[in-house]
Amino acid sequence: MTDRAMQEPTLLLLTALADEPRHGYAIAREVEAISTGRVKMRTGTLYGALERLLQQGLIEVHKEEVVDSRLRRTYTLTSPGRAALAAEAERIAATAREATRRLKVSGKAATA
């Protein structure tokens, strides 16, 4: 990975795999849950992103099995994937802390 901010789909995919290995459909459901329904990944987008993350070494195939005559791959984070996700989580948290600090300094309450 680079020092650039992670794109949101990448962040969501890695987050979906952070606690346990999952297959594609389960990853898509987790992404939707994590984003509280805001992000719904289409099949082509999902598998294209998973392929890119495989090539980058951030995820790997945990298991392959045949289900209903179709190959199902289960994916998991690699050590570099965990490190990248942890670094991005810290970057986001640091930005949120700074935003909160500045809002408090300004003395103006946030309005919805």
Side-chain angles (χ1 to χ4, degrees):
M1 294 295 303
T2 65
D3 290 335
R4 292 182 336 142
M6 196 177 278
Q7 295 293 314
E8 185 178 30
T10 300
L11 173 64
L12 292 169
L13 288 170
L14 295 180
T15 300
L17 292 171
D19 57 345
E20 65 183 62
R22 289 187 165 84
H23 58 79
Y25 181 76
I27 293 169
R29 298 286 65 103
E30 281 296 305
V31 165
E32 191 172 343
I34 292 164
S35 68
T36 58
R38 190 175 45 80
V39 176
K40 294 178 177 140
M41 297 195 85
R42 294 178 180 214
T43 303
T45 302
L46 172 66
Y47 286 100
L50 290 172
E51 186 59 36
R52 179 179 49 80
L53 295 172
L54 281 166
Q55 290 174 358
Q56 292 174 341
L58 298 178
I59 66 172
E60 63 188 5
V61 175
H62 176 71
K63 178 173 67 171
E64 290 183 328
E65 60 186 335
V66 177
V67 177
D68 295 329
S69 302
R70 294 178 56 191
L71 181 64
R72 176 188 282 177
R73 284 184 169 176
T74 302
Y75 301 90
T76 191
L77 285 181
T78 60
S79 292
R82 286 191 174 283
L85 180 58
E88 184 65 5
E90 179 51 38
R91 186 194 68 76
I92 291 168
T95 301
R97 284 190 301 272
E98 182 60 14
T100 300
R101 185 191 71 76
R102 289 177 184 226
L103 284 168
K104 287 178 182 175
V105 168
S106 75
K108 296 179 184 174
T111 58

